[in-house]
Every structure is written in structure tokens, then in C-alpha cells.
Amino acid sequence: MRFFQPFLFLAVVAILIQGCAFSRGTLGDDIKTEAIGEIKKGATTKAEVLALLGAPDRVLPLNGRDVYQYYRYDAKAGSLLLILINFSRLSVKGDDLFVMLNQNGIVEEVLSSKRTENLEFRFWPFGD
Amino acid sequence: MPRLNHRLGALLLLVLVGALTPGCNVVRITLNTPLTPDDVAFIVPGQTTLLEVVDRLGSPDSINNSETGIVSVHRFLDMKYARVNFGWLAKPWSPVDPDLIFSRTGFGTDAFQVFYDSNGTVVQHSFLRHVIDRPFHPYPF
């Protein structure tokens, strides 16, 4: 019986993973952390921001100031397709960067977060 | 004899699970990290600043003008979908492909809005909807 155990284990694993699916989708380019680090409040100009990050995805007028918004979305989906029951989970997270420019075109504030760094493939839909 | 009972028990369990979960689908879609009142309890109007909010919750999904200054919005979604096809129970005996499907979707969309004054200090904050964390529930009635 001990001889057959590894084969039995392999058979069970093979049965369980035969209906697995992994998918991924992204929207937008990666917002480089190094580029964000080079932006200095009170010093970096609008032209330098554009040279570092390219054109923003959105320009928002905010109390007489311009805010450049850059975003990127990452989606990871995992499915476990068993014969009688299927489990699927799709997780979508976005990275957002806001660069606030004052009326002279100088960076006043930078707000950013990389939420996609912790994004994992999951198929178990229960829990957090 | 006890071994036979064990095998019979396992077989019965398998049949029971098969009968209870015929053609089941359980799907969950999350957008960003759903926020709870506990996650935002650190925000004190008149004290907490925009930078502190971003530091704890991440950057918002949008920033707009408001009468007091600016408003930031953190959007999130926790969608749960469950589906059971009871038609599977009749499949072995039916000449056609029968379906009797019960399904239910809970969209769980919400947003957390924070209003700031012109100095970037929180004036007020609130959830757009108060989404209740519902379990997976295929019964639609």
C-alpha cells in the first residue's frame, strides 16, 4: 500500500488540477516607482513630470490648480472547475498617482499608492 | 465489517455532497480592497490630513472640487454570485438537457468619500452605501 501512496497522491492532484484556469488582464502602463521618487515637491516642473511619466490619463481642475492623474489596473482570475462545483475569484486592483501642480506649474503634492503589488491569483471565493 | 461501514459512509457522503451541490458555481469579484468602518476609524474631522488618509488607505480613485475644498473617493466592489442548477439531478434519466437554475448576485458596490478643507484637513467622511457583508446565497426569492 505504501508503494501506491505517491501514485494515489499524484492521481488526486491530477484530478483536482485538471479543471484549473488562470487569467490576467491589465489596463495602462506600469507607473514606475523610480519616476515617482524623482518628483520633488516645490521643485519639479510640469514639463519634467510629463518627461518622467508621459501624458496623464486625466487632468483634473482643482481649485485653480491642475491635478494629473495616472492610473493602471491589474486583474487576476483563478478558477477551480470541478465536475459538480466550480469556484472562481477575480481580483482587480488599481495603482493611482495624483500630481498636484500649483498655478506656476510647480509640483505641490504627490499622492500615490501601488495596490497591485500584493495582488495574487486566488480561486477560493470565501473569506477575505 | 467496520471497514465496510467506513466505505459505505464515504460513498454516502459523496452522494450527499453530489446531491446538494449539483452544478454549483460560486464566483467572487473584488475591486480594490473593501473598506470597513474599522479601517477608517482613525480619521478624525478637523485633525486628520489628506496625506494621512492616503498613507493608511492608499491613494483615492478620484479627487474633485467641493464647496469646502476637495473631496476624495475610494471606490470598491465585493461582488458575490452563487448558482445552483438542480437540472443536473435529472440529467442521468432525461433525454433532454434539463435546467432548473437558482442564482443570485450581490453587487456590493460602495465608495468612501472624504471631504477636506482648502488646507487638506478632513471636514467630514462617509460611506456612499452601507454594504452589508452577505454570504453566498443562491436562493433568489
Side-chain angles (χ1 to χ4, degrees):
Chain A
M1 186 61 193
R2 186 169 286 179
F3 176 76
F4 287 106
Q5 272 181 351
F7 295 103
L8 193 67
F9 175 73
L10 272 177
V12 170
V13 169
I15 288 167
L16 283 176
I17 64 168
Q18 67 176 347
C20 278
F22 296 93
S23 308
R24 186 169 182 184
T26 53
L27 172 71
D29 295 327
D30 191 22
I31 305 168
K32 293 187 176 67
T33 314
E34 310 86 65
I36 299 170
E38 285 183 39
I39 302 172
K40 306 287 178 229
K41 290 182 212 173
T44 308
T45 63
K46 185 189 286 188
E48 287 168 334
V49 171
L50 293 172
L52 281 167
L53 299 165
D57 295 293
R58 282 204 294 183
V59 180
L60 312 161
L62 200 72
N63 297 332
R65 297 171 294 183
D66 275 344
V67 178
Y68 287 0
Q69 183 182 7
Y70 298 84
Y71 55 77
R72 173 181 184 266
Y73 285 93
D74 197 349
K76 289 182 180 177
S79 299
L80 184 62
L81 309 167
L82 304 173
I83 295 165
L84 289 173
I85 187 161
N86 301 326
F87 297 113
S88 298
R89 185 152 187 180
L90 169 68
S91 305
V92 185
K93 287 195 177 183
D95 295 331
D96 285 281
L97 168 67
F98 294 91
V99 182
M100 296 183 182
L101 300 152
N102 65 17
Q103 286 166 338
N104 300 319
I106 305 293
V107 173
E108 202 175 83
E109 196 59 77
V110 179
L111 307 174
S112 73
S113 62
K114 296 274 269 182
R115 285 180 285 209
T116 58
E117 276 177 351
N118 305 319
L119 190 63
E120 293 173 343
F121 282 103
R122 294 183 291 181
F123 62 81
W124 189 242
F126 308 103
D128 289 333
Chain B
M1 195 64 182
R3 181 175 280 186
L4 189 68
N5 279 342
H6 273 145
R7 282 185 182 171
L8 198 65
L11 191 68
L12 274 174
L13 183 72
L14 203 67
V15 170
L16 192 69
V17 169
L20 288 174
T21 60
C24 272
N25 285 287
V26 184
V27 179
R28 187 166 178 186
I29 298 174
T30 49
L31 170 65
N32 293 330
T33 307
L35 297 174
T36 63
D38 288 342
D39 295 327
V40 301
F42 72 95
I43 300 174
V44 180
Q47 287 182 24
T48 312
T49 63
L50 172 64
L51 289 178
E52 287 167 339
V53 172
V54 171
D55 191 42
R56 294 282 288 268
L57 304 180
S59 61
D61 296 281
S62 66
I63 294 178
N64 288 303
N65 281 319
S66 78
E67 279 186 19
T68 55
I70 57 174
V71 56
S72 72
V73 183
H74 288 79
R75 289 191 183 81
F76 54 92
L77 165 96
D78 190 8
M79 196 200 93
K80 290 176 179 177
Y81 168 77
R83 174 185 183 272
V84 184
N85 186 355
F86 289 101
W88 273 54
L89 290 171
K91 264 189 186 179
W93 303 280
S94 173
V96 293
D97 201 0
D99 282 323
L100 174 59
I101 297 167
F102 286 0
S103 75
R104 189 165 182 171
T105 306
F107 276 97
T109 49
D110 206 344
F112 179 63
Q113 292 181 329
V114 188
F115 291 81
Y116 306 87
D117 63 16
S118 53
N119 299 318
T121 306
V122 175
V123 177
Q124 66 178 74
H125 58 87
S126 64
F127 284 94
L128 200 65
R129 298 181 187 89
H130 296 272
V131 173
I132 302 157
D133 189 21
R134 293 183 191 281
F136 288 95
H137 199 298
Y139 193 66
F141 307 105

